[in-house]
Amino acid sequence: MEYRGKVWVFGDDVDTDAIIPARYLNTSDPGELAAHCMEDADPAFMVKMQPGDMLAAGKNFGCGSSREHAPIAIKAAGISCVIAASFARIFYRNAINIGLPILESPEASKALQEGQEVQVDLKAGTITNLSTGEVFQATPFPDFMRQLMDAGGLIPYVQQKVAGQKG
Amino acid sequence: MGMTMAEKILARHAGREEVAPGDLVLARVDLVLGNDITAPVAIREFYRIGVEDVFDRERIALVPDHFVPNKDIQSAEQAKIMRDFARKFNILHYFEVGRMGVEHALLPEAGLTLPGELIIGADSHTCTYGALGAFATGVGSTDMAAAMATGEAWFKVPATIKFIYRGKLPPWVGGKDLILHTIGDIGVDGGLYKALEFTGEAIEELDMDGRFTMSNMAIEAGAKAGLIAPDATTRDYLKGRASRPYREAFSDEDACYEKVIEYDVSNLEPQVAFPHLPENARPVREAGDVILDQVIIGSCTNGRIEDMRAAARVLEGKKVHKGLRLIIIPATQAIYRQAIDEGLVHTFLDAGAAVSTPTCGPCLGGYMGILARGEKALATTNRNFVGRMGHPESEVYLSGPAVAAASAVTGRITHPEEVL
């Protein structure tokens, strides 16, 4: 799977309240959540971004709450993938479970600058900065995570398993 | 090679003799929980799986607590999704308004979280139950959905960091101060992907409520779990409360820890965390002049009876500062009633505080105490991120209940000794 888009850069410890403030959690509709994506980190983000764009951030992206609304909002906003130096544990798990592509690369996180064109090859785990030509290798996913992603997320994976038990 | 208590609990539930950090295991869970924000998403995903029933109607807990009693039509619709699901599948542990509480105070109180158990919850503060010696961790709604269908979840076995708190706790220093000091030391990602194990004589001395506060905030260091070995305090708490038999787990003498961190707490001062991260902890005496608009005492971190008592001890015979709102939220109906029976609520009302029915409410900026632009609040809650309690340009400071109560009296961040 390959993605290409412009990158928006955020700092360390971007928390789930910044990604989707709790005042909007009285709905679980992906479209309504997307309208407020990253609002408390950058109020103009949804006006500026284009579908297909990417997020790049520092360490501990998605820290705080377990709200799956955070990766749902990012995915529904049309962000193609998130690159960070590291991810908070629950966000990492949630992103894989719902099929939001994420890549962990401290090097890319440090090098990427806002507005640069980036190409991501999810299978190879490579991040190419098209503006500079630099190529970064992301931390590989454990095999099980790859199986989950190949299945399309946790629900299709469990569906397959449940169907297997019935048959 | 010995195992830590976290490793033992995961091994038992995965049906394995032993596990090591990094192992991926499929494990049976003892309890799955969700709330009025996370469960509606989980329920949507549950129906997609296509199973006819939940794995066990007695092992699922559904607690409307974040936006209830409902604050608006949309949140009422969310709560209804959960209520309808609970009725349809005859979920035993569904707690309606009037019988509910903040989930992480309520479920231990109801004896539903026990030593040695493996618990997942679609709420990041699920790690609270580590205080009882359970391996409890927060997950997302999709994980919750899968576990409601299968009774199982996948785990990567975390390495454990051991903390030893030596020395006797000084006056006014409790679980909140220990954990804020710890997060201040290791940082908000200092425990990322790890299990934390809290040990030492200061932990042995802590009552159950102080232990819950510590384990509750393990997630604020990025940790997967925050465990405390069961002892006489744990067993006393569980007497007449435990809903089912349980088997305690303890770390072996030769267990392998990734790191051991020791603190001498005998000179520790009450702590306050400055905006906008819990790691910005410092002694209250070094806070400077922070003028407050609001103080919140409550939440899954510090809304228990010992917190109410600590607040009442400071507020007894005093008045809330005229420029400030004090909002006190006992975390469960039982705590609320006990606070009334012990006269604590009278003390709060006499002081000029607002006392609310249990809810997470203001902690996450839901309702019941939202901040305007530029306002500052001191709260006994767990997070002080940008916009956490309201306007993105408001500020939240974190402390324990005694500091919060003292600050409500003076109108600025204050050491309890200053008002007593």
Side-chain angles (χ1 to χ4, degrees), chain B residues 156-168:
Chain B
K156 188 163 146 191
V157 178
T160 300
I161 302 176
K162 182 178 183 172
F163 292 86
I164 307 172
Y165 299 87
R166 299 195 191 281
K168 204 174 155 51

Side-chain angles (χ1 to χ4, degrees), chain B residues 158-208:
Chain B
T160 300
I161 302 176
K162 182 178 183 172
F163 292 86
I164 307 172
Y165 299 87
R166 299 195 191 281
K168 204 174 155 51
L169 287 173
W172 304 114
V173 173
K176 186 61 161 285
D177 307 294
L178 291 180
I179 194 66
L180 286 178
H181 177 69
T182 305
I183 298 165
D185 180 42
I186 66 172
V188 291
D189 63 346
L192 196 56
Y193 298 103
K194 313 294 179 203
L196 313 183
E197 191 176 322
F198 304 121
T199 73
E201 51 181 306
I203 303 299
E204 288 160 26
E205 196 192 324
L206 269 187
D207 53 44
M208 242 3 270

Side-chain angles (χ1 to χ4, degrees), chain A residues 13 15 17 22 26 28 32 59-60 64-66 68-69 87 89-90 93-94 97 144 154-155 159 161, chain B residues 37 44-45 48 72 74 123-124 137-143 152 154 188-189 193 364 383 385 388:
Chain A
D13 305 311
D15 60 76
D17 283 276
N26 53 4
S28 56
E32 288 179 44
K59 71 176 177 74
N60 203 25
S65 149
S66 68
E68 208 160 282
H69 310 62
F87 290 92
R89 189 192 69 83
I90 306 175
R93 200 173 166 119
N94 287 347
N97 282 346
F144 171 68
L154 182 64
I155 295 301
Q159 277 171 343
K161 214 180 131 178
Chain B
I37 290 180
R44 186 166 72 203
E45 297 304 310
R48 275 181 61 205
D72 55 22
Q74 280 189 303
D123 188 278
S124 62
T137 192
V139 296
S141 297
T142 300
D143 273 313
E152 294 173 335
W154 283 96
V188 291
D189 63 346
Y193 298 103
L364 74 160
R383 290 188 179 132
F385 301 151
R388 175 73 179 178

Side-chain angles (χ1 to χ4, degrees), chain B residues 15-32:
Chain B
R16 287 168 56 156
E17 284 293 312
E18 53 178 37
V19 296
D23 289 356
L24 277 158
V25 296
L26 178 65
R28 176 181 56 76
V29 296
D30 293 299
L31 188 73
V32 183

Side-chain angles (χ1 to χ4, degrees), chain B residues 25-233:
Chain B
V25 296
L26 178 65
R28 176 181 56 76
V29 296
D30 293 299
L31 188 73
V32 183
L33 63 125
N35 59 50
D36 52 321
I37 290 180
T38 60
V41 178
I43 289 163
R44 186 166 72 203
E45 297 304 310
F46 176 85
Y47 285 128
R48 275 181 61 205
I49 296 171
V51 287
E52 275 149 28
D53 203 353
V54 296
F55 83 105
D56 186 342
R57 69 176 197 92
E58 299 184 11
R59 299 264 181 181
I60 294 170
L62 297 175
V63 187
D65 59 359
H66 280 59
F67 292 151
V68 304
N70 285 126
K71 71 183 185 106
D72 55 22
I73 293 168
Q74 280 189 303
S75 67
E77 298 289 348
Q78 297 293 301
K80 187 169 182 298
I81 292 171
M82 185 160 88
R83 184 179 301 117
D84 289 348
F85 181 86
R87 281 192 191 141
K88 178 171 177 182
F89 292 101
N90 203 13
I91 301 297
L92 186 61
H93 304 298
Y94 169 75
F95 298 88
E96 193 52 273
V97 171
R99 285 141 276 173
M100 52 66 84
V102 175
E103 53 196 323
H104 308 306
L106 179 72
L107 300 183
E109 182 185 281
L112 292 171
T113 61
L114 298 168
E117 291 197 331
L118 180 58
I119 298 165
I120 62 168
D123 188 278
S124 62
H125 293 106
T126 300
C127 52
T128 307
Y129 319 131
L132 292 162
F135 188 101
T137 192
V139 296
S141 297
T142 300
D143 273 313
M144 180 192 172
M148 286 201 298
T150 64
E152 294 173 335
W154 283 96
F155 298 90
K156 188 163 146 191
V157 178
T160 300
I161 302 176
K162 182 178 183 172
F163 292 86
I164 307 172
Y165 299 87
R166 299 195 191 281
K168 204 174 155 51
L169 287 173
W172 304 114
V173 173
K176 186 61 161 285
D177 307 294
L178 291 180
I179 194 66
L180 286 178
H181 177 69
T182 305
I183 298 165
D185 180 42
I186 66 172
V188 291
D189 63 346
L192 196 56
Y193 298 103
K194 313 294 179 203
L196 313 183
E197 191 176 322
F198 304 121
T199 73
E201 51 181 306
I203 303 299
E204 288 160 26
E205 196 192 324
L206 269 187
D207 53 44
M208 242 3 270
D209 288 0
R211 295 181 186 187
F212 283 127
T213 302
M214 287 199 71
S215 293
N216 173 272
M217 287 190 72
I219 178 68
E220 308 321 330
K224 188 165 189 166
L227 297 97
I228 296 174
D231 62 6
T233 302

Side-chain angles (χ1 to χ4, degrees), chain B residues 363-412:
Chain B
C363 172
L364 74 160
Y367 70 129
M368 289 294 291
I370 301 304
L371 300 173
R373 181 199 299 264
E375 286 194 320
K376 292 181 168 66
L378 177 63
T380 66
T381 57
N382 40 58
R383 290 188 179 132
N384 53 355
F385 301 151
V386 171
R388 175 73 179 178
M389 200 174 276
H391 196 282
E393 287 168 40
S394 60
E395 289 184 353
V396 179
Y397 298 72
L398 306 174
S399 78
V403 171
S407 305
V409 172
T410 63
R412 58 186 161 74

